[in-house]
Amino acid sequence: MHMKRFLFLVMLTIRISVFAQNNASITISNNSNQIISKHIYGQFAEHLGRGIYDGFWVDEDMPVAKQDRIRLDIVKALKQINIPNLRWPGGCFADEYHWRDGIGPREQRPKMVNTNWGGVTEDNSFGTHEFLKLCELLGCEPYIAANVGSGTVEEMSKWIEYLNSNSTSTVAQMRKQNGHPEPYKVSFWGVGNESWGCGGNMTPEFYADQFRRYASFAKNYPGAPLKKIASGANAQDYNWTEVCMKNIPLNMMWGLSLHYYTIPTGNWSKKGSATKFSEQEYFSTMANCLKMEELVTKHSAIMDKYDPEKRVALVVDEWGVWTDPEPGTNPGFLYQQNSLRDALIAASTLNIFNNHCDRVKMAELAQTINVLQALILTDKDKMLLTPTYYIFDMYKVHQDAKYLNIKVTSPDYVVGGKRIPAVNASASQDSTGKIHISLVNLDMHNPVTIRIVLNGLKWSKINGQILTSANITDVNTFDQPSKIHSADFNSAKKDGDKLTVVIPAKSIITLELN
Protein backbone atom coordinates (compact mmCIF):
# COMPACT_ATOMS: atom_id res chain seq x y z
CA MET A 1 0.00 0.00 0.00
CA HIS A 2 2.82 2.38 0.93
CA MET A 3 4.64 1.50 -2.33
CA LYS A 4 1.50 2.28 -4.41
CA ARG A 5 1.07 5.60 -2.61
CA PHE A 6 4.75 6.40 -3.17
CA LEU A 7 4.50 5.64 -6.92
CA PHE A 8 1.32 7.72 -7.18
CA LEU A 9 3.06 10.70 -5.56
CA VAL A 10 6.07 10.29 -7.88
CA MET A 11 3.83 10.25 -10.96
CA LEU A 12 1.87 13.25 -9.68
CA THR A 13 5.10 15.17 -9.08
CA ILE A 14 6.30 14.37 -12.61
CA ARG A 15 2.96 15.49 -14.08
CA ILE A 16 3.00 18.75 -12.11
CA SER A 17 6.63 19.31 -13.13
CA VAL A 18 5.89 18.74 -16.84
CA PHE A 19 2.82 20.96 -16.58
CA ALA A 20 4.85 23.73 -14.94
CA GLN A 21 7.65 23.40 -17.48
CA ASN A 22 5.30 24.12 -20.36
CA ASN A 23 3.31 26.95 -18.83
CA ALA A 24 3.99 30.67 -18.74
CA SER A 25 1.99 33.52 -17.25
CA ILE A 26 1.88 37.15 -18.38
CA THR A 27 0.27 40.13 -16.67
CA ILE A 28 -0.33 43.27 -18.74
CA SER A 29 -1.33 46.56 -17.12
CA ASN A 30 -2.51 49.85 -18.56
CA ASN A 31 -0.62 52.08 -16.12
CA SER A 32 2.17 53.52 -18.24
CA ASN A 33 2.46 56.87 -19.98
CA GLN A 34 5.43 55.81 -22.14
CA ILE A 35 5.35 55.67 -25.94
CA ILE A 36 7.29 53.08 -27.95
CA SER A 37 9.07 55.35 -30.40
CA LYS A 38 8.74 54.34 -34.03
CA HIS A 39 12.46 55.12 -34.35
CA ILE A 40 13.28 51.89 -32.46
CA TYR A 41 12.41 50.19 -35.78
CA GLY A 42 15.13 51.98 -37.76
CA GLN A 43 17.54 50.52 -40.31
CA PHE A 44 21.20 50.91 -41.26
CA ALA A 45 22.74 51.14 -44.74
CA GLU A 46 26.53 51.39 -44.90
CA HIS A 47 28.84 51.57 -47.91
CA LEU A 48 29.73 47.94 -47.30
CA GLY A 49 29.62 44.93 -49.60
CA ARG A 50 26.39 44.82 -51.61
CA GLY A 51 24.34 46.99 -49.24
CA ILE A 52 24.33 50.21 -51.28
CA TYR A 53 25.84 49.15 -54.61
CA ASP A 54 23.94 46.17 -56.05
CA GLY A 55 21.41 46.67 -53.22
CA PHE A 56 19.62 50.02 -53.10
CA TRP A 57 21.65 51.42 -56.02
CA VAL A 58 21.89 49.28 -59.14
CA ASP A 59 23.37 49.48 -62.63
CA GLU A 60 21.38 51.48 -65.13
CA ASP A 61 20.87 48.41 -67.34
CA MET A 62 19.53 46.09 -64.59
CA PRO A 63 16.02 44.97 -65.66
CA VAL A 64 14.12 46.12 -62.57
CA ALA A 65 11.91 49.15 -61.92
CA LYS A 66 14.11 52.08 -60.88
CA GLN A 67 14.01 55.79 -60.14
CA ASP A 68 17.36 57.03 -61.34
CA ARG A 69 19.33 53.99 -60.10
CA ILE A 70 17.32 53.41 -56.90
CA ARG A 71 15.71 49.98 -56.96
CA LEU A 72 11.96 50.39 -56.46
CA ASP A 73 10.92 46.84 -55.47
CA ILE A 74 13.17 47.28 -52.42
CA VAL A 75 11.61 50.69 -51.71
CA LYS A 76 8.13 49.15 -51.89
CA ALA A 77 9.06 46.32 -49.50
CA LEU A 78 10.54 48.72 -46.93
CA LYS A 79 7.56 51.09 -47.14
CA GLN A 80 5.36 48.10 -46.29
CA ILE A 81 7.04 47.82 -42.87
CA ASN A 82 6.95 51.59 -42.23
CA ILE A 83 10.73 52.00 -41.99
CA PRO A 84 11.03 55.17 -39.81
CA ASN A 85 14.68 56.10 -40.35
CA LEU A 86 17.78 55.06 -42.27
CA ARG A 87 21.33 55.50 -40.94
CA TRP A 88 24.09 56.29 -43.48
CA PRO A 89 26.94 56.26 -44.71
CA GLY A 90 28.34 54.06 -41.91
CA GLY A 91 29.58 52.46 -39.77
CA CYS A 92 33.33 52.44 -40.03
CA PHE A 93 32.99 53.91 -43.54
CA ALA A 94 31.57 57.14 -42.07
CA ASP A 95 34.91 58.15 -40.56
CA GLU A 96 36.73 57.92 -43.90
CA TYR A 97 33.91 59.51 -45.92
CA HIS A 98 34.21 63.09 -47.18
CA TRP A 99 30.82 64.35 -48.24
CA ARG A 100 32.05 66.74 -50.94
CA ASP A 101 33.28 63.70 -52.90
CA GLY A 102 29.66 62.57 -53.28
CA ILE A 103 27.97 65.69 -54.72
CA GLY A 104 27.91 67.32 -58.16
CA PRO A 105 28.10 65.63 -61.58
CA ARG A 106 28.72 61.90 -61.01
CA GLU A 107 31.29 61.58 -63.75
CA GLN A 108 33.41 64.22 -62.02
CA ARG A 109 33.29 62.70 -58.52
CA PRO A 110 36.61 61.39 -57.21
CA LYS A 111 37.07 57.67 -56.58
CA MET A 112 38.43 56.21 -53.35
CA VAL A 113 39.30 52.80 -51.92
CA ASN A 114 36.98 51.47 -49.22
CA THR A 115 39.75 50.42 -46.83
CA ASN A 116 37.36 49.09 -44.19
CA TRP A 117 35.28 46.77 -46.33
CA GLY A 118 36.93 44.61 -48.96
CA GLY A 119 39.33 47.17 -50.45
CA VAL A 120 36.94 47.83 -53.32
CA THR A 121 36.75 51.04 -55.34
CA GLU A 122 34.09 53.50 -54.17
CA ASP A 123 33.03 55.66 -57.13
CA ASN A 124 30.87 58.01 -55.00
CA SER A 125 27.96 57.73 -57.45
CA PHE A 126 25.70 57.25 -54.41
CA GLY A 127 26.18 60.39 -52.33
CA THR A 128 24.21 62.87 -50.26
CA HIS A 129 21.51 63.73 -52.81
CA GLU A 130 21.01 60.09 -53.80
CA PHE A 131 20.68 59.06 -50.16
CA LEU A 132 18.15 61.79 -49.41
CA LYS A 133 16.15 60.92 -52.54
CA LEU A 134 16.07 57.33 -51.24
CA CYS A 135 14.78 58.54 -47.85
CA GLU A 136 12.14 60.63 -49.61
CA LEU A 137 10.97 57.58 -51.60
CA LEU A 138 10.91 55.49 -48.42
CA GLY A 139 9.06 58.20 -46.48
CA CYS A 140 11.63 57.89 -43.69
CA GLU A 141 13.90 60.26 -41.77
CA PRO A 142 17.61 60.35 -42.68
CA TYR A 143 20.14 59.71 -39.93
CA ILE A 144 23.59 60.86 -41.07
CA ALA A 145 26.77 59.74 -39.32
CA ALA A 146 29.40 62.47 -39.72
CA ASN A 147 33.15 62.01 -40.06
CA VAL A 148 34.96 62.78 -36.81
CA GLY A 149 37.78 60.23 -37.19
CA SER A 150 39.48 61.61 -40.30
CA GLY A 151 37.34 64.71 -40.88
CA THR A 152 37.31 68.21 -39.48
CA VAL A 153 34.93 70.39 -37.50
CA GLU A 154 34.53 72.61 -40.56
CA GLU A 155 33.69 69.63 -42.80
CA MET A 156 30.83 68.49 -40.57
CA SER A 157 29.64 72.06 -40.00
CA LYS A 158 29.54 72.75 -43.75
CA TRP A 159 27.70 69.49 -44.47
CA ILE A 160 24.95 70.56 -42.06
CA GLU A 161 24.86 74.00 -43.65
CA TYR A 162 24.74 72.44 -47.15
CA LEU A 163 21.71 70.39 -46.18
CA ASN A 164 19.77 72.64 -43.83
CA SER A 165 20.48 76.29 -44.63
CA ASN A 166 18.21 78.37 -46.86
CA SER A 167 20.64 81.29 -46.94
CA THR A 168 22.63 82.80 -49.82
CA SER A 169 25.89 81.36 -48.47
CA THR A 170 28.20 79.73 -50.98
CA VAL A 171 27.58 76.27 -49.48
CA ALA A 172 23.77 76.63 -49.50
CA GLN A 173 23.92 77.95 -53.07
CA MET A 174 25.95 74.89 -54.05
CA ARG A 175 23.08 72.62 -52.91
CA LYS A 176 20.65 74.66 -55.01
CA GLN A 177 22.93 74.41 -58.04
CA ASN A 178 23.07 70.63 -57.48
CA GLY A 179 19.32 70.40 -57.94
CA HIS A 180 17.67 70.87 -54.54
CA PRO A 181 16.49 74.46 -54.02
CA GLU A 182 14.83 73.83 -50.64
CA PRO A 183 16.77 72.75 -47.52
CA TYR A 184 16.59 69.06 -46.68
CA LYS A 185 16.14 69.75 -42.94
CA VAL A 186 18.04 66.69 -41.68
CA SER A 187 17.66 66.43 -37.89
CA PHE A 188 19.43 63.21 -36.82
CA TRP A 189 23.23 63.60 -36.78
CA GLY A 190 25.72 61.12 -35.43
CA VAL A 191 28.90 62.84 -34.23
CA GLY A 192 31.32 60.09 -35.24
CA ASN A 193 30.93 56.31 -35.13
CA GLU A 194 32.63 53.74 -32.88
CA SER A 195 35.11 56.39 -31.80
CA TRP A 196 36.56 53.79 -29.38
CA GLY A 197 37.54 51.64 -32.41
CA CYS A 198 37.52 52.13 -36.18
CA GLY A 199 36.40 55.75 -35.71
CA GLY A 200 39.70 56.82 -34.18
CA ASN A 201 40.67 54.51 -31.28
CA MET A 202 39.95 57.34 -28.84
CA THR A 203 39.69 57.28 -25.07
CA PRO A 204 36.26 58.26 -23.71
CA GLU A 205 37.73 61.44 -22.19
CA PHE A 206 39.24 62.50 -25.53
CA TYR A 207 36.05 61.65 -27.43
CA ALA A 208 33.84 63.60 -24.99
CA ASP A 209 36.02 66.66 -25.60
CA GLN A 210 35.86 66.10 -29.36
CA PHE A 211 32.07 65.77 -29.21
CA ARG A 212 31.77 69.08 -27.38
CA ARG A 213 33.96 70.75 -29.98
CA TYR A 214 32.21 69.30 -33.05
CA ALA A 215 28.73 69.78 -31.57
CA SER A 216 29.48 73.44 -30.83
CA PHE A 217 29.79 74.13 -34.56
CA ALA A 218 26.84 71.94 -35.57
CA LYS A 219 24.31 74.75 -36.01
CA ASN A 220 20.55 74.75 -36.00
CA TYR A 221 18.99 76.32 -39.09
CA PRO A 222 15.31 77.43 -39.33
CA GLY A 223 12.98 74.43 -39.25
CA ALA A 224 15.85 71.99 -38.68
CA PRO A 225 16.77 71.64 -34.99
CA LEU A 226 19.54 69.04 -34.74
CA LYS A 227 19.27 65.84 -32.73
CA LYS A 228 22.96 65.18 -32.08
CA ILE A 229 23.88 61.61 -31.18
CA ALA A 230 27.18 60.95 -29.41
CA SER A 231 29.24 57.88 -30.32
CA GLY A 232 28.59 55.64 -27.35
CA ALA A 233 29.82 52.40 -25.86
CA ASN A 234 30.82 49.08 -27.33
CA ALA A 235 28.75 46.41 -25.55
CA GLN A 236 29.62 46.34 -21.82
CA ASP A 237 32.05 49.29 -21.79
CA TYR A 238 30.16 51.01 -18.98
CA ASN A 239 33.05 53.42 -18.33
CA TRP A 240 32.55 54.94 -21.80
CA THR A 241 28.92 55.75 -20.95
CA GLU A 242 29.93 57.09 -17.53
CA VAL A 243 32.54 59.47 -18.97
CA CYS A 244 30.27 60.72 -21.77
CA MET A 245 27.35 61.38 -19.43
CA LYS A 246 29.65 63.09 -16.94
CA ASN A 247 31.66 65.22 -19.40
CA ILE A 248 29.14 66.16 -22.12
CA PRO A 249 26.46 68.73 -21.18
CA LEU A 250 23.04 67.10 -21.47
CA ASN A 251 21.69 69.95 -23.60
CA MET A 252 24.37 69.27 -26.24
CA MET A 253 23.26 65.75 -27.12
CA TRP A 254 19.92 64.24 -28.07
CA GLY A 255 21.18 60.68 -27.75
CA LEU A 256 24.09 58.42 -26.79
CA SER A 257 24.66 55.30 -28.86
CA LEU A 258 25.31 51.67 -27.94
CA HIS A 259 26.57 48.91 -30.26
CA TYR A 260 26.08 45.22 -29.55
CA TYR A 261 26.19 42.26 -31.91
CA THR A 262 25.01 38.73 -31.15
CA ILE A 263 27.93 36.42 -31.93
CA PRO A 264 26.69 32.78 -32.01
CA THR A 265 29.88 31.28 -30.56
CA GLY A 266 30.90 34.34 -28.57
CA ASN A 267 34.21 34.22 -30.47
CA TRP A 268 34.84 37.07 -32.93
CA SER A 269 37.48 35.11 -34.87
CA LYS A 270 35.14 32.15 -35.51
CA LYS A 271 31.61 33.40 -35.15
CA GLY A 272 29.73 30.37 -36.46
CA SER A 273 27.68 29.58 -39.56
CA ALA A 274 24.45 31.38 -40.45
CA THR A 275 22.81 28.14 -41.60
CA LYS A 276 24.66 25.12 -40.13
CA PHE A 277 24.50 25.01 -36.34
CA SER A 278 23.68 22.55 -33.57
CA GLU A 279 21.14 23.01 -30.81
CA GLN A 280 24.02 23.90 -28.45
CA GLU A 281 25.10 26.71 -30.80
CA TYR A 282 21.49 27.86 -31.26
CA PHE A 283 21.17 28.01 -27.46
CA SER A 284 24.40 30.00 -27.03
CA THR A 285 23.26 32.39 -29.77
CA MET A 286 19.97 33.07 -28.02
CA ALA A 287 21.70 33.43 -24.63
CA ASN A 288 24.04 36.02 -26.21
CA CYS A 289 21.07 37.78 -27.82
CA LEU A 290 19.29 38.10 -24.47
CA LYS A 291 22.36 39.86 -22.99
CA MET A 292 20.92 42.97 -24.62
CA GLU A 293 18.55 43.17 -21.62
CA GLU A 294 21.48 43.44 -19.19
CA LEU A 295 23.34 45.94 -21.39
CA VAL A 296 20.36 48.26 -21.82
CA THR A 297 19.54 48.03 -18.11
CA LYS A 298 23.07 48.82 -16.92
CA HIS A 299 23.81 51.59 -19.43
CA SER A 300 20.41 53.12 -18.61
CA ALA A 301 21.21 53.05 -14.89
CA ILE A 302 24.42 55.04 -15.52
CA MET A 303 22.48 57.52 -17.67
CA ASP A 304 19.83 57.83 -14.94
CA LYS A 305 22.51 58.96 -12.49
CA TYR A 306 23.33 62.02 -14.61
CA ASP A 307 19.98 62.39 -16.37
CA PRO A 308 17.13 61.32 -14.05
CA GLU A 309 14.60 63.05 -16.30
CA LYS A 310 15.66 60.84 -19.23
CA ARG A 311 16.26 63.70 -21.63
CA VAL A 312 19.06 61.84 -23.45
CA ALA A 313 17.99 58.84 -25.53
CA LEU A 314 19.84 55.55 -25.58
CA VAL A 315 20.31 54.88 -29.30
CA VAL A 316 21.18 51.25 -30.15
CA ASP A 317 22.20 52.14 -33.69
CA GLU A 318 23.96 48.85 -34.50
CA TRP A 319 22.51 45.51 -33.41
CA GLY A 320 21.82 42.07 -34.85
CA VAL A 321 23.44 38.68 -35.35
CA TRP A 322 26.91 38.55 -36.92
CA THR A 323 27.99 35.18 -38.33
CA ASP A 324 30.80 34.01 -40.58
CA PRO A 325 30.25 35.17 -44.19
CA GLU A 326 28.61 32.76 -46.61
CA PRO A 327 31.24 30.41 -48.12
CA GLY A 328 32.41 31.57 -51.55
CA THR A 329 31.60 35.26 -50.98
CA ASN A 330 34.03 38.14 -50.38
CA PRO A 331 34.66 37.98 -46.60
CA GLY A 332 34.89 41.80 -46.52
CA PHE A 333 31.30 42.04 -47.77
CA LEU A 334 29.74 40.45 -44.62
CA TYR A 335 27.04 38.63 -46.63
CA GLN A 336 25.19 36.06 -44.54
CA GLN A 337 22.00 34.05 -44.90
CA ASN A 338 19.04 34.63 -42.61
CA SER A 339 17.31 31.75 -40.84
CA LEU A 340 14.42 31.25 -38.45
CA ARG A 341 17.04 31.78 -35.70
CA ASP A 342 17.56 35.35 -36.98
CA ALA A 343 13.82 36.02 -36.72
CA LEU A 344 13.81 34.87 -33.08
CA ILE A 345 16.80 37.18 -32.40
CA ALA A 346 15.04 40.15 -34.03
CA ALA A 347 11.77 39.56 -32.16
CA SER A 348 13.45 39.04 -28.77
CA THR A 349 15.61 42.15 -29.21
CA LEU A 350 12.67 44.32 -30.25
CA ASN A 351 10.76 43.09 -27.20
CA ILE A 352 13.68 44.26 -25.03
CA PHE A 353 13.71 47.69 -26.72
CA ASN A 354 9.92 48.04 -26.40
CA ASN A 355 10.13 47.21 -22.70
CA HIS A 356 12.84 49.86 -22.19
CA CYS A 357 11.12 52.56 -24.27
CA ASP A 358 11.52 55.06 -21.42
CA ARG A 359 15.22 55.28 -22.35
CA VAL A 360 15.63 53.49 -25.71
CA LYS A 361 14.18 55.96 -28.22
CA MET A 362 15.97 54.82 -31.35
CA ALA A 363 17.68 51.73 -32.79
CA GLU A 364 18.97 50.54 -36.15
CA LEU A 365 19.28 46.92 -37.30
CA ALA A 366 22.57 46.13 -39.02
CA GLN A 367 21.92 46.06 -41.95
CA THR A 368 19.10 46.57 -44.43
CA ILE A 369 20.22 44.72 -47.59
CA ASN A 370 22.78 41.96 -48.30
CA VAL A 371 24.88 42.73 -45.19
CA LEU A 372 24.78 40.97 -41.78
CA GLN A 373 21.22 40.41 -40.46
CA ALA A 374 19.56 41.77 -43.58
CA LEU A 375 15.86 42.33 -44.21
CA ILE A 376 16.33 41.79 -47.94
CA LEU A 377 18.72 39.71 -50.06
CA THR A 378 19.26 40.24 -53.80
CA ASP A 379 20.82 38.27 -56.63
CA LYS A 380 20.98 40.44 -59.75
CA ASP A 381 17.31 41.21 -60.54
CA LYS A 382 15.97 38.69 -57.99
CA MET A 383 14.97 39.77 -54.50
CA LEU A 384 13.77 37.93 -51.40
CA LEU A 385 12.44 38.91 -48.00
CA THR A 386 14.18 37.26 -45.05
CA PRO A 387 12.54 35.88 -41.88
CA THR A 388 13.82 39.03 -40.11
CA TYR A 389 11.84 41.19 -42.56
CA TYR A 390 8.61 39.47 -41.50
CA ILE A 391 9.32 40.23 -37.82
CA PHE A 392 9.53 43.96 -38.62
CA ASP A 393 6.26 43.61 -40.54
CA MET A 394 4.57 41.87 -37.58
CA TYR A 395 5.99 44.33 -35.05
CA LYS A 396 5.26 47.58 -36.92
CA VAL A 397 2.00 47.80 -34.91
CA HIS A 398 4.09 48.89 -31.89
CA GLN A 399 5.47 52.00 -33.63
CA ASP A 400 4.47 55.13 -31.68
CA ALA A 401 1.97 53.08 -29.64
CA LYS A 402 1.44 53.41 -25.89
CA TYR A 403 3.63 50.99 -23.95
CA LEU A 404 1.74 48.54 -21.73
CA ASN A 405 3.54 47.33 -18.60
CA ILE A 406 4.20 43.62 -18.86
CA LYS A 407 5.39 40.98 -16.41
CA VAL A 408 6.40 37.56 -17.78
CA THR A 409 6.86 34.38 -15.74
CA SER A 410 8.42 31.84 -18.08
CA PRO A 411 9.57 28.22 -17.99
CA ASP A 412 13.23 27.68 -18.75
CA TYR A 413 14.68 26.37 -21.98
CA VAL A 414 17.52 24.10 -20.83
CA VAL A 415 20.41 22.80 -22.93
CA GLY A 416 23.53 21.18 -21.47
CA GLY A 417 22.62 22.22 -17.96
CA LYS A 418 22.36 25.91 -18.93
CA ARG A 419 19.05 27.74 -18.98
CA ILE A 420 17.40 30.80 -20.46
CA PRO A 421 13.74 31.91 -20.28
CA ALA A 422 11.78 30.21 -23.06
CA VAL A 423 9.26 33.05 -23.42
CA ASN A 424 9.72 36.80 -23.85
CA ALA A 425 7.10 39.39 -24.79
CA SER A 426 6.08 43.03 -25.15
CA ALA A 427 2.73 44.82 -25.51
CA SER A 428 1.28 48.15 -26.60
CA GLN A 429 -1.99 49.95 -27.33
CA ASP A 430 -2.33 52.00 -30.50
CA SER A 431 -4.18 55.27 -31.04
CA THR A 432 -7.38 53.42 -32.05
CA GLY A 433 -7.41 51.42 -28.81
CA LYS A 434 -6.23 48.12 -30.33
CA ILE A 435 -3.95 46.09 -28.07
CA HIS A 436 -0.96 44.26 -29.57
CA ILE A 437 0.99 41.55 -27.77
CA SER A 438 4.17 40.07 -29.27
CA LEU A 439 5.22 36.66 -27.92
CA VAL A 440 8.40 34.64 -28.55
CA ASN A 441 9.05 30.98 -27.69
CA LEU A 442 12.78 30.20 -27.93
CA ASP A 443 12.37 26.51 -26.96
CA MET A 444 13.32 24.43 -29.99
CA HIS A 445 11.14 21.47 -29.05
CA ASN A 446 8.26 22.33 -26.73
CA PRO A 447 5.15 24.45 -27.15
CA VAL A 448 4.30 26.65 -24.18
CA THR A 449 0.83 27.42 -22.87
CA ILE A 450 0.69 31.12 -21.96
CA ARG A 451 -2.05 32.52 -19.74
CA ILE A 452 -2.37 36.29 -20.08
CA VAL A 453 -4.18 38.58 -17.63
CA LEU A 454 -4.99 42.08 -18.91
CA ASN A 455 -5.69 44.55 -16.11
CA GLY A 456 -7.83 47.57 -16.91
CA LEU A 457 -8.12 46.75 -20.63
CA LYS A 458 -11.32 45.94 -22.52
CA TRP A 459 -11.42 43.73 -25.60
CA SER A 460 -13.62 41.11 -27.24
CA LYS A 461 -12.02 39.94 -30.51
CA ILE A 462 -8.62 38.34 -31.16
CA ASN A 463 -6.61 37.68 -34.27
CA GLY A 464 -2.94 37.33 -34.91
CA GLN A 465 0.05 36.37 -37.03
CA ILE A 466 2.69 33.71 -36.52
CA LEU A 467 6.16 33.07 -37.92
CA THR A 468 7.75 29.65 -37.59
CA SER A 469 9.16 26.83 -39.72
CA ALA A 470 9.89 23.11 -39.52
CA ASN A 471 13.58 23.61 -38.75
CA ILE A 472 15.47 26.30 -36.85
CA THR A 473 18.01 26.41 -39.73
CA ASP A 474 15.38 26.98 -42.45
CA VAL A 475 16.02 29.94 -44.78
CA ASN A 476 14.42 31.64 -47.76
CA THR A 477 16.39 31.10 -50.97
CA PHE A 478 16.05 32.49 -54.48
CA ASP A 479 14.64 29.08 -55.49
CA GLN A 480 12.27 29.03 -52.47
CA PRO A 481 11.81 32.69 -51.55
CA SER A 482 8.69 32.11 -49.41
CA LYS A 483 9.67 29.06 -47.37
CA ILE A 484 9.40 31.16 -44.18
CA HIS A 485 6.75 33.87 -43.99
CA SER A 486 4.15 35.14 -41.56
CA ALA A 487 0.73 33.46 -41.53
CA ASP A 488 -2.61 33.99 -39.81
CA PHE A 489 -2.85 32.70 -36.23
CA ASN A 490 -6.33 32.07 -34.87
CA SER A 491 -5.70 29.75 -31.91
CA ALA A 492 -5.71 32.27 -29.05
CA LYS A 493 -8.72 31.77 -26.76
CA LYS A 494 -10.64 34.29 -24.65
CA ASP A 495 -11.34 32.89 -21.19
CA GLY A 496 -13.43 35.47 -19.32
CA ASP A 497 -11.15 38.48 -19.00
CA LYS A 498 -8.08 36.28 -19.56
CA LEU A 499 -6.38 35.01 -22.70
CA THR A 500 -4.85 31.59 -23.34
CA VAL A 501 -2.32 31.00 -26.12
CA VAL A 502 -0.42 27.83 -26.96
CA ILE A 503 2.70 29.11 -28.71
CA PRO A 504 4.48 26.46 -30.79
CA ALA A 505 8.17 25.72 -30.36
CA LYS A 506 10.62 28.20 -32.01
CA SER A 507 7.94 30.66 -33.05
CA ILE A 508 6.88 34.30 -32.85
CA ILE A 509 3.28 35.48 -32.54
CA THR A 510 1.77 38.98 -32.57
CA LEU A 511 -1.82 39.15 -31.34
CA GLU A 512 -4.30 41.96 -31.97
CA LEU A 513 -7.08 42.46 -29.44
CA ASN A 514 -10.05 44.66 -30.35
Side-chain angles (χ1 to χ4, degrees):
M1 186 68 181
H2 290 301
M3 180 58 73
K4 281 184 179 177
R5 180 175 171 77
F6 173 74
L7 289 172
F8 171 76
L9 288 171
V10 168
M11 293 303 293
L12 185 63
T13 302
I14 290 171
R15 279 187 182 176
I16 290 170
S17 173
V18 169
F19 179 79
Q21 279 177 7
N22 294 318
N23 280 265
S25 64
I26 292 177
T27 304
I28 296 171
S29 304
N30 184 18
N31 58 359
S32 163
N33 58 2
Q34 298 294 331
I35 298 295
I36 297 172
S37 171
K38 67 180 180 180
H39 288 295
I40 284 172
Y41 291 82
Q43 304 298 328
F44 176 30
E46 183 169 6
H47 286 241
L48 196 177
R50 294 171 48 241
I52 299 290
Y53 301 100
D54 205 26
F56 281 114
W57 189 249
V58 295
D59 289 342
E60 290 161 349
D61 56 359
M62 184 176 281
V64 294
K66 299 180 288 293
Q67 181 160 335
D68 193 356
R69 288 168 56 188
I70 295 171
R71 186 168 172 163
L72 292 179
D73 54 354
I74 285 174
V75 168
K76 182 180 178 183
L78 294 175
K79 285 187 77 170
Q80 167 66 28
I81 60 171
N82 299 341
I83 169 178
N85 66 68
L86 187 61
R87 180 173 180 250
W88 172 88
C92 292
F93 182 80
D95 282 293
E96 66 175 5
Y97 182 68
H98 301 284
W99 67 270
R100 289 173 186 268
D101 293 346
I103 60 171
R106 287 181 201 147
E107 65 279 3
Q108 295 174 21
R109 297 180 189 178
K111 293 180 171 60
M112 63 176 282
V113 175
N114 189 335
T115 61
N116 281 290
W117 305 118
V120 295
T121 299
E122 164 67 60
D123 71 359
N124 282 306
S125 61
F126 187 91
T128 296
H129 289 264
E130 290 79 13
F131 169 65
L132 291 165
K133 171 52 74 173
L134 172 62
C135 290
E136 180 189 316
L137 292 172
L138 290 168
C140 77
E141 284 202 55
Y143 170 14
I144 291 178
N147 182 345
V148 170
S150 70
T152 65
V153 171
E154 182 196 25
E155 184 177 11
M156 177 174 151
S157 173
K158 293 295 187 191
W159 199 4
I160 296 168
E161 182 184 354
Y162 180 85
L163 291 174
N164 291 353
S165 172
N166 200 25
S167 71
T168 56
S169 75
T170 301
V171 173
Q173 289 298 111
M174 195 182 351
R175 181 198 69 241
K176 296 172 184 178
Q177 290 160 9
N178 286 331
H180 205 273
E182 297 303 313
Y184 282 107
K185 298 182 179 177
V186 176
S187 284
F188 289 116
W189 282 86
V191 182
N193 166 78
E194 296 193 356
S195 300
W196 40 262
C198 65
N201 287 299
M202 303 176 196
T203 64
E205 290 81 6
F206 182 80
Y207 173 73
D209 286 346
Q210 289 296 299
F211 178 91
R212 291 166 67 132
R213 180 165 163 255
Y214 276 72
S216 295
F217 294 92
K219 305 294 187 182
N220 290 328
Y221 292 93
L226 297 185
K227 294 172 179 166
K228 289 169 260 193
I229 297 166
S231 176
N234 178 26
Q236 64 269 30
D237 185 354
Y238 300 112
N239 180 57
W240 188 282
T241 298
E242 183 93 38
V243 171
C244 286
M245 291 302 295
K246 182 179 175 183
N247 292 2
I248 298 172
L250 298 183
N251 63 1
M252 287 189 91
M253 61 177 167
W254 181 85
L256 179 65
S257 74
L258 168 66
H259 288 183
Y260 177 68
Y261 286 96
T262 296
I263 309 299
T265 62
N267 179 353
W268 277 90
S269 60
K270 183 63 180 167
K271 302 177 191 74
S273 168
T275 55
K276 297 181 173 68
F277 49 87
S278 63
E279 181 171 9
Q280 283 75 15
E281 194 167 303
Y282 163 71
F283 180 91
S284 70
T285 306
M286 299 319 302
N288 290 337
C289 161
L290 294 178
K291 284 180 183 171
M292 184 68 84
E293 172 72 37
E294 177 187 332
L295 293 171
V296 168
T297 300
K298 289 186 174 179
H299 284 289
S300 295
I302 295 166
M303 295 174 78
D304 287 348
K305 189 163 72 171
Y306 297 94
D307 175 31
E309 295 175 351
K310 300 183 192 291
R311 289 184 288 165
V312 179
L314 183 59
V315 178
V316 191
D317 56 16
E318 289 188 30
W319 68 272
V321 63
W322 191 329
T323 69
D324 294 332
E326 287 301 300
T329 65
N330 184 331
F333 282 11
L334 306 187
Y335 178 84
Q336 63 192 48
Q337 247 295 1
N338 199 286
S339 71
L340 178 60
R341 178 179 70 173
D342 296 55
L344 290 158
I345 289 166
S348 298
T349 304
L350 291 170
N351 281 342
I352 292 168
F353 294 159
N354 287 350
N355 291 331
H356 286 274
C357 64
D358 61 331
R359 182 62 83 177
V360 179
K361 304 290 187 187
M362 192 176 193
E364 283 73 26
L365 175 73
Q367 293 187 15
T368 319
I369 306 171
N370 291 330
V371 176
L372 299 177
Q373 189 175 349
L375 300 178
I376 294 169
L377 301 178
T378 66
D379 178 15
K380 301 183 178 66
D381 60 335
K382 294 180 187 172
M383 181 193 92
L384 66 79
L385 307 176
T386 68
T388 298
Y389 172 91
Y390 289 103
I391 296 303
F392 277 82
D393 194 33
M394 290 165 64
Y395 274 56
K396 68 187 178 188
V397 292
H398 297 299
Q399 291 190 19
D400 281 346
K402 180 184 176 184
Y403 170 69
L404 297 176
N405 278 324
I406 189 165
K407 183 182 178 189
V408 180
T409 304
S410 169
D412 286 335
Y413 171 42
V414 184
V415 175
K418 296 180 179 176
R419 55 189 66 233
I420 57 174
V423 172
N424 63 76
S426 66
S428 67
Q429 186 170 30
D430 70 16
S431 58
T432 70
K434 291 176 184 171
I435 300 160
H436 294 102
I437 308 169
S438 290
L439 306 166
V440 178
N441 181 8
L442 299 178
D443 193 314
M444 253 182 70
H445 307 291
N446 301 304
V448 178
T449 300
I450 306 176
R451 290 181 174 81
I452 303 173
V453 176
L454 294 102
N455 292 326
L457 294 157
K458 300 284 186 220
W459 53 281
S460 57
K461 294 180 188 168
I462 323 164
N463 57 60
Q465 286 189 302
I466 185 169
L467 186 82
T468 189
S469 195
N471 304 296
I472 200 75
T473 53
D474 283 350
V475 298
N476 290 337
T477 65
F478 294 102
D479 294 328
Q480 281 187 290
S482 299
K483 186 182 182 78
I484 306 178
H485 60 88
S486 53
D488 289 342
F489 179 81
N490 299 309
S491 299
K493 298 283 188 290
K494 193 177 192 310
D495 180 15
D497 58 350
K498 298 181 181 65
L499 179 62
T500 301
V501 187
V502 179
I503 181 170
K506 57 184 186 320
S507 69
I508 304 103
I509 292 170
T510 292
L511 300 174
E512 181 173 281
L513 279 58
N514 284 304

